[in-house]
Amino acid sequence: KESKQEDQMPRAKPQKRKSKTKIATIESTIHLHRKLYRVTFKYRAPKAIKAIREHAFRTMRTKDVRIDAKLNKFIWARGTRQVVSRVRVRMERKLSEEEDAQNKLYTLVTWVPTTDFKGLSTKHIHEEEE
C-alpha cells in the first residue's frame, strides 16, 4: 500500500519577504474610522497610532517606524475619543544614522495637511520633485 505522503509533491518552502533597501517616499490616506470601529473610547487614539504604525510597516516593509510629533498631536488634538476619520500621511524610508542600529532602514511618518480627501490616491514621490 502507498501512503498519502508519497502521492503528494514535496512542498516548496515559503519565501521570506525581504525588507526593501531602496530609499523611497509614499504619500497616502489612512482610513482610521474603519480601523477604530467598535474600539472602546479610552483606547481610540492609542489604537489609531498603532494603526498608522501598522500601515507604514505594511507599505514600507521596515520594522522601525517613527511617527512625527505633528502627526501625533493631530491624532490626539480632539482627545482620545473623537479621533479623525481619515488622515493623509507621507512615509519616507530612510537610512539609519546610528552605527549599531539593529535595522539599517527606518520609516518616518509625517502628517500632510489637507482639507478634502476626494480624488486623492497613493502617490510615489521621487527625490527630484522636492
Side-chain angles (χ1 to χ4, degrees):
K1 290 183 178 180
E2 294 180 32
S3 65
K4 289 183 180 181
Q5 290 179 349
E6 290 176 13
D7 293 340
Q8 294 176 350
M9 291 182 65
R11 278 191 172 174
K13 290 184 180 179
Q15 294 178 347
K16 288 186 178 179
R17 279 190 173 172
K18 293 181 182 178
S19 64
K20 297 182 180 179
T21 56
K22 190 176 176 185
I23 296 170
T25 304
I26 297 176
E27 193 173 292
S28 67
T29 304
I30 302 173
H31 188 187
L32 291 174
H33 186 75
R34 181 174 52 192
K35 312 236 186 220
L36 300 177
Y37 180 66
R38 296 185 66 138
V39 173
T40 310
F41 283 145
K42 184 177 178 182
Y43 303 108
R44 285 173 76 89
K47 182 80 173 181
I49 297 293
K50 287 175 188 170
I52 292 169
R53 205 176 285 275
E54 183 182 336
H55 179 82
F57 168 71
R58 287 177 187 232
T59 306
M60 303 302 274
R61 289 283 159 207
T62 59
K63 289 183 180 177
D64 187 5
V65 177
R66 300 174 190 179
I67 294 178
D68 188 46
K70 287 182 182 178
L71 175 60
N72 191 42
K73 283 194 183 233
F74 177 74
I75 297 296
W76 283 90
R78 293 166 58 180
T80 190
R81 297 173 85 182
Q82 287 89 19
V83 178
V84 292
S85 59
R86 283 180 174 83
V87 65
R88 186 83 176 163
V89 295
R90 177 175 285 155
M91 297 171 282
E92 299 176 67
R93 191 183 304 124
K94 296 183 171 187
L95 287 170
S96 183
E97 289 91 29
E98 300 156 11
E99 293 174 10
D100 58 338
Q102 193 173 15
N103 302 315
K104 293 177 183 173
L105 296 169
Y106 70 94
T107 301
L108 178 64
V109 185
T110 55
W111 174 53
V112 178
T114 183
T115 55
D116 193 21
F117 294 97
K118 300 289 183 196
L120 292 176
S121 61
T122 301
K123 286 194 265 182
H124 293 270
I125 300 169
H126 302 291
E127 298 301 320
E128 296 86 47
E129 292 177 11
E130 293 180 4

